[in-house]
Amino acid sequence: MQENSYTILVINPGSTSTKIGVYNNEQLVLEQTIRHTNEELAQYASIIDQYSFRKDAILRSLQEGGVVLTDLQAVCGRGGLLRPISGGTYEVNEAMLTDLKKGYAGQHASNLGGILASEIASSLGVQAFIVDPVVVDELQAVARVSGFSLIQRKSIFHALNQKAVARRYAKQVGKNYDQLNLIVTHMGGGITVGAHSGGKVIDVNNGLHGDGPFSPERAGTVPAGELVELCYSGKYYRHEIMAKLVGQGGLVGYLGTNDAVTVEKRIEKGDEDAALIYEAMAYQVAKEIGSAAVVLGGKVDGIILTGGLAYGKQYVEMIASKVQWIADVTVYPGEDELKALAEGALRVLQGEENAKTYPG
């Protein structure tokens, strides 16, 4: 039986660029990165005000790429900072657009994804979707308890890539995603380690400015008492402390760079400090994977390493050597967000799953 063919436009807005892709089912037809200069973006008072400018740029790029708009069956955008929702593919509706436009959980370029998808899809009379935004929250109740009654643990992580590679692995081993217990580690500018069980991420560290391993740009979990002392030392303003936790933390704080390749070159030249910090980052990731194994009761079908850092063979080996006794380690280096968005829309179009309704 021949499966239906669907042409899908996917949109991933970043702070200074908009990445687009056109897929025929899972086959990439066109991929473009549209760069936006600071001068162009400076004309707009807020991120949301950029949507018309970015929409026009997308349409021009599609025309130049020979894409016939009326061939599209769906448009899928990157999910933004919405209300906490379960994972899956969501059809863009008015409630979602309202929250994206007002910045319910903050202003971010990804908020434009659903808006742009809706704008283009509505003009064509096709469906608009988002898939697995960073606010996916499937935490079990016990995982929300922080130990400090004024603070609850939050689920903010690389949901799109974590879920995509988990599904890819499930397909590879001939099982459904919801039949497996997996530990998925996304390693990029931020690092998140998710315990996946029954198709849900029941525990994960907050990859924005919360807990977990330190990363190329983030400090992760730090000693709370010493952090409080720093905050009240009179030496730093609030924004300076936040910058040291997010942006200037991790490798940047220790070594002055967020580039793992640069760090590896320094290690090759005998830089002992670089070697120690790089090993410590792998060590903390391995510890977090061990914690996720406890969450899953030791019943782990596989450990997946993904994201940009997974290209580093030495770094991957340092982690794998400490955790491979738990389960086999599979590596999917990099992240293909455009493909993950297309796959999410395709699952709905092919009837593999139903589109969810926001906020659910």
Side-chain angles (χ1 to χ4, degrees):
M1 181 176 178
Q2 188 174 8
E3 65 179 14
N4 291 330
S5 177
Y6 296 97
T7 303
I8 305 163
L9 167 65
V10 294
I11 304 170
N12 184 7
S15 56
T16 60
S17 67
T18 304
K19 295 180 181 179
I20 63 170
V22 177
Y23 285 79
N24 187 265
N25 288 3
E26 296 181 7
Q27 184 67 41
L28 179 65
V29 176
L30 173 75
E31 182 176 1
Q32 299 268 351
T33 298
I34 307 167
R35 307 287 180 186
H36 310 304
T37 67
N38 291 331
E39 290 75 21
E40 288 173 327
L41 299 179
Q43 304 173 58
Y44 304 99
S46 69
I47 290 172
I48 297 304
D49 292 337
Q50 299 171 12
Y51 84 88
S52 183
F53 159 74
R54 295 208 191 207
K55 175 187 171 184
D56 290 343
I58 291 169
L59 294 178
R60 282 197 303 273
S61 185
L62 292 173
Q63 184 178 27
E64 291 168 3
V67 175
V68 179
L69 290 179
T70 53
D71 288 344
L72 298 177
Q73 275 83 42
V75 185
C76 189
R78 180 72 187 269
L81 298 178
L82 294 159
R83 300 169 192 267
I85 53 177
S86 60
T89 300
Y90 286 77
E91 189 162 11
V92 179
N93 59 17
E94 286 302 319
M96 183 186 296
L97 291 172
T98 297
D99 282 351
L100 289 173
K101 289 174 182 177
K102 73 180 181 182
Y104 173 84
Q107 295 289 348
H108 191 272
S110 62
N111 289 8
L112 289 165
I115 297 169
L116 290 166
S118 178
E119 286 277 323
I120 295 173
S122 62
S123 69
L124 299 171
V126 299
Q127 290 176 290
F129 302 107
I130 66 164
V131 180
D132 291 328
V134 295
V135 294
V136 165
D137 185 347
E138 300 167 334
L139 296 185
Q140 56 186 343
V142 70
R144 301 184 190 281
V145 181
S146 70
F148 184 30
S149 63
L150 300 181
I151 299 175
Q152 185 179 74
R153 292 187 67 237
K154 295 179 180 177
S155 176
I156 302 177
F157 71 110
H158 304 90
L160 182 62
N161 191 42
Q162 281 211 25
K163 293 265 189 180
V165 297
R167 291 187 181 99
R168 186 187 309 173
Y169 176 85
K171 189 174 182 180
Q172 182 177 313
V173 299
K175 293 189 177 181
N176 293 328
Y177 169 44
D178 59 10
Q179 294 176 314
L180 296 172
N181 280 350
L182 300 172
I183 299 172
V184 184
T185 302
H186 175 103
M187 305 180 296
I191 294 176
T192 55
V193 181
H196 296 235
S197 181
K200 296 183 182 300
V201 183
I202 62 173
D203 201 346
V204 66
N205 63 295
N206 180 338
L208 183 58
H209 48 65
D211 49 11
F214 75 82
S215 74
E217 298 175 351
R218 291 163 196 171
T221 301
V222 297
E226 285 86 343
L227 180 59
V228 171
E229 291 295 333
L230 275 179
C231 290
Y232 286 92
S233 66
K235 297 179 181 179
Y236 304 100
Y237 290 105
R238 178 183 181 277
H239 73 274
E240 291 176 313
I241 291 291
M242 286 301 296
K244 289 181 180 300
L245 294 174
V246 183
Q248 298 172 16
L251 291 186
V252 174
Y254 283 109
L255 303 175
T257 180
N258 63 359
D259 184 4
V261 175
T262 298
V263 174
E264 289 178 350
K265 288 179 179 177
R266 285 168 58 173
I267 294 170
E268 289 173 4
K269 293 178 180 178
D271 188 329
E272 294 182 0
D273 287 339
L276 174 63
I277 299 305
Y278 205 47
E279 181 182 357
M281 187 166 69
Y283 174 86
Q284 289 197 4
V285 169
K287 280 179 64 177
E288 196 75 14
I289 290 171
S291 296
V294 171
V295 170
L296 298 173
K299 299 175 182 177
V300 183
D301 296 303
I303 297 170
I304 300 171
L305 304 180
T306 185
L309 288 175
Y311 283 110
K313 292 182 180 179
Q314 177 187 354
Y315 183 70
V316 165
E317 178 53 36
M318 284 192 291
I319 296 170
S321 66
K322 291 185 179 299
V323 303
Q324 57 195 4
W325 60 272
I326 299 171
D328 290 340
V329 177
T330 301
V331 182
Y332 296 121
E335 55 183 310
D336 195 339
E337 293 173 332
L338 294 180
K339 185 177 181 181
L341 291 171
E343 289 172 344
L346 186 61
R347 286 193 298 272
V348 171
L349 294 173
Q350 291 184 335
E352 293 179 26
E353 63 183 59
N354 295 322
K356 295 185 175 181
T357 301
Y358 179 82

